[in-house]
């Protein structure tokens, strides 16, 4: 469910340059998967994986009509990224995750 | 102690299944800290880590392990062995007032005994963002900071 995904999913979706380019493109208005895929030298199945990541993060919605799948940007969802506090929370959540992994990993906790 | 302001501050609380001493060492020994301070594949270098009031806390980061760029430049305000660590980036390691992007903050890390290990809390108090339009590339998230600026412009209906 897109509306249950976290701000972390949004950041993860945006971590990829191809997906960022798609978001920028959709900023100009809805577009079909085919036209969005054109600038990229990747196969359509690979491109569809990016589309699915964007969709599950809630950043875009897609609608199929006949053989054409149209993508639309969710601007409210995208505005999460401009929320600096959410961004800082993400930084500290992930930092705490890494700290936790480090201190609970026996390999790193030898006494010298 | 100042109030917690939900509009500007954040708190992360969890129980970590490790002794306080292990978490303290991860926070105060450079060789340990650099293992978790920044997300892989970015490499952290802990340049100065002096957990005492006025002590420096300086880190750099690198994408290739050769050229490093500044990451954190802050000072400790308070340190209590295995229990509390407070640092701020509003003053840099040379004690000069600083205006770090994206935001000035004071982080208070608290460790308390817990039956399952350690009750860990990070309380981060923020000032106002230094400049909401100019997110610097922090490298926290593969340069998401700079992306954020571009995306914000987009959301506001400007062409980028």
């Amino acid at each position: 469910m897109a509306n249950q995904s976290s701000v972390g999913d949004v950041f993860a979706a945006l971590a990829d340059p191809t997906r960022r380019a798609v978001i920028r493109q959709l900023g100009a208005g809805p577009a079909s998967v085919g036209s969005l895929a054109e600038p990229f030298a990747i196969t359509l199945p690979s491109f569809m994986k990016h589309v699915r990541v964007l969709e599950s993060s809630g950043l875009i919605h897609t609608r199929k009509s006949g053989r054409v799948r149209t993508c639309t940007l969710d601007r409210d969802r995208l505005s999460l990224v401009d929320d600096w506090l959410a961004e800082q929370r993400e930084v500290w959540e992930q930092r705490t995750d890494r700290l936790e992994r480090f201190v609970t990993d026996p390999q790193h906790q030898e006494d010298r | 102690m100042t109030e917690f302001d939900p509009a500007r501050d954040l708190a992360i609380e969890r129980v970590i299944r490790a002794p306080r001493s292990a978490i303290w060492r991860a926070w105060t020994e450079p060789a340990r800290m650099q293992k978790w301070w920044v997300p892989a594949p970015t490499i952290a270098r802990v340049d100065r880590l002096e957990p005492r009031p006025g002590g420096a806390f300086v880190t750099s980061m690198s994408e290739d392990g050769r050229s490093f760029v500044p990451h954190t430049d802050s000072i400790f305000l308070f340190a209590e062995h295995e229990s509390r660590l407070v640092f701020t980036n509003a003053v840099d390691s040379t004690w000069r007032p600083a205006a770090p992007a994206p935001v000035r903050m004071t982080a208070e890390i608290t460790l308390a005994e817990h039956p399952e290990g350690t009750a860990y809390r990070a309380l981060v108090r923020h000032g106002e963002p230094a400049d909401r339009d100019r997110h610097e590339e922090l490298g926290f998230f593969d340069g998401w900071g700079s992306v954020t600026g571009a995306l914000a412009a987009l959301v506001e209906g400007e062409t980028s």
Side-chain angles (χ1 to χ4, degrees), chain A residues 19 26 107:
Chain A
R19 295 197 289 265
L26 290 174
Q107 196 192 320

Side-chain angles (χ1 to χ4, degrees), chain A residues 11-12 14-15 20 75 78 81-82 84-85 88-89 91-93 95 97-100 108-111, chain B residues 6-7 10-12 14 17 25 32 36-37 39 102 120 126 129 132 140-142 144 147-148 152 154-155:
Chain A
F11 281 122
L14 292 171
R20 290 202 293 264
R75 289 174 188 278
L78 188 57
V81 182
D82 194 39
W84 63 269
L85 186 57
Q88 293 309 303
R89 172 171 290 283
V91 168
W92 282 94
E93 285 282 4
R95 181 171 285 162
D97 289 345
R98 293 191 302 269
L99 170 67
E100 183 166 17
H108 290 302
Q109 300 311 316
E110 72 298 342
D111 245 310
Chain B
L10 62 90
I12 291 166
R14 42 179 103 163
R17 294 169 190 273
R25 290 181 68 183
R32 289 171 190 263
W36 61 270
W37 184 240
Y120 180 88
H126 292 98
R132 297 219 183 181
F140 282 132
F141 294 121
D142 181 23
W144 288 352
V147 172
T148 305
L154 189 103
V155 172

Side-chain angles (χ1 to χ4, degrees), chain B residues 14-15 17 30 40 45 55 61 63 95 116-117 126 139 144-145 155:
Chain B
R14 42 179 103 163
V15 173
R17 294 169 190 273
R45 188 178 69 199
M61 59 186 186
E63 297 307 323
W95 291 14
E116 290 168 34
H126 292 98
W144 288 352
V155 172

Side-chain angles (χ1 to χ4, degrees), chain B residues 20-85:
Chain B
R20 283 192 306 169
S21 59
I23 300 175
W24 182 259
R25 290 181 68 183
W27 260 104
T28 56
E29 294 178 18
R32 289 171 190 263
M33 179 174 238
Q34 65 190 31
K35 296 268 209 305
W36 61 270
W37 184 240
V38 303
T42 304
I43 299 157
R45 188 178 69 199
V46 178
D47 303 305
R48 295 178 69 190
L49 184 56
E50 301 158 3
R52 57 176 183 269
F57 177 27
V58 182
T59 66
S60 323
M61 59 186 186
S62 170
E63 297 307 323
D64 59 8
R66 287 192 303 277
S67 55
F68 281 81
V69 295
H71 177 230
T72 314
D73 187 350
S74 52
I75 62 158
F76 287 101
L77 299 176
F78 186 91
E80 187 179 349
H81 186 68
E82 293 183 1
S83 123
R84 199 146 63 108
L85 203 53

Side-chain angles (χ1 to χ4, degrees), chain A residues 28-100:
Chain A
S32 71
V33 168
S35 69
L36 287 168
E38 259 171 44
F40 303 106
I42 56 175
T43 62
L44 200 55
S46 310
F47 186 76
M48 276 308 296
K49 281 192 193 129
H50 287 306
V51 170
R52 278 194 290 272
V53 171
L54 287 169
E55 191 169 27
S56 63
S57 74
L59 280 168
I60 69 169
H61 305 294
T62 75
R63 201 181 56 250
K64 197 160 183 176
S65 165
R67 296 177 57 183
V68 180
R69 183 174 288 280
T70 303
C71 305
T72 311
L73 179 65
D74 185 328
R75 289 174 188 278
D76 287 347
R77 195 81 188 131
L78 188 57
S79 69
L80 269 184
V81 182
D82 194 39
D83 180 345
W84 63 269
L85 186 57
E87 195 175 343
Q88 293 309 303
R89 172 171 290 283
E90 203 57 29
V91 168
W92 282 94
E93 285 282 4
Q94 299 203 359
R95 181 171 285 162
T96 308
D97 289 345
R98 293 191 302 269
L99 170 67
E100 183 166 17

